[in-house]
Amino acid sequence: MMKKLTIFLAGLFFAGLFATLASAHDVKAGAIEIGHPHARAMVPGAKVGGGYLTFVNNGSIDDKLVSIICDRAKSSEVHQMSVSNGVMTMRPVAGGLVVPAGQTVELKPGGYHIMFMDVAKPFKEGEIVKATLTFEKAGPVDVEFAVGSLSGTNASAGDTHSDMGGMDMSKPQ
Ligand SMILES: [Cu+2]
């Protein structure tokens, strides 16, 4: 009897734990599931910050991220980072980021990312940065970006966001 109760309580505990983990920052807009939105802490004086997350389109029609509004930044856009001839470049994704039906699009260091531009107060580790993402079909959704460490919790080689403070958009990095 006692053992049964213990197992039951343990079950409740784990169910609660997983519910907490899953709902921490994950949100849904229509058929679009948004996973693990996080941002990189910025060095003092830096003007641009990077935001990362995952979009899963569970629907049967393609959707498109058409706008990002964040009150911490003057403007926010989706960028694509790529390497050509050994030179890292990044450019805005024109016309919105397409999230094809049934597919996952990952925004991560070194690839697609959200670029917060003209940030007045650099993001600090532990902060939550709120933004409203608008999809063409799924509509607007509020997202909370958890600010991680300066170097990033999942830093990958080739990421230059930590030193983008002096980034010049017209020049390759
Ligand atoms: Cu960028």
Side-chain angles (χ1 to χ4, degrees):
M1 184 62 188
M2 199 58 201
K3 196 173 177 194
K4 243 184 191 162
L5 183 68
T6 310
I7 292 169
F8 174 71
L9 287 177
L12 271 187
F13 173 75
F14 281 113
L17 185 70
F18 283 122
T20 307
L21 285 176
S23 66
H25 297 286
D26 296 359
V27 283
K28 252 182 170 179
I32 305 287
E33 218 174 277
I34 296 169
H36 190 43
H38 59 290
R40 183 73 50 87
M42 293 159 62
V43 293
K47 287 281 171 241
V48 290
Y52 313 98
L53 70 179
T54 305
F55 297 127
V56 180
N57 186 344
N58 294 308
S60 52
I61 43 170
D62 295 354
D63 208 339
K64 202 194 268 183
L65 174 63
V66 288
S67 94
I68 305 154
I69 294 169
C70 173
D71 59 9
R72 297 283 302 271
K74 205 175 255 174
S75 65
S76 308
E77 47 193 40
V78 176
H79 279 184
Q80 185 176 17
M81 194 177 268
S82 58
V83 180
S84 55
N85 299 323
V87 180
M88 187 88 72
T89 56
M90 74 176 152
R91 54 189 164 80
V93 175
L97 178 71
V98 176
V99 184
Q103 291 194 32
T104 298
V105 175
E106 210 183 335
L107 281 73
K108 58 179 184 203
Y112 288 119
H113 54 275
I114 290 173
M115 187 104 284
F116 299 106
M117 329 258 290
D118 278 317
V119 176
K121 237 174 69 208
F123 301 161
K124 271 208 231 109
E125 185 170 356
E127 273 185 335
I128 293 289
V129 172
K130 293 180 183 178
T132 302
L133 310 187
T134 302
F135 289 89
E136 199 173 65
K137 308 246 164 44
V141 58
D142 291 334
V143 174
E144 297 188 340
F145 292 85
V147 181
S149 65
L150 207 61
S151 55
T153 42
N154 47 5
S156 65
D159 177 38
T160 59
H161 269 116
S162 46
D163 52 25
M164 266 186 348
M167 180 175 72
D168 182 344
M169 286 297 172
S170 61
K171 266 192 296 199
Q173 290 284 294

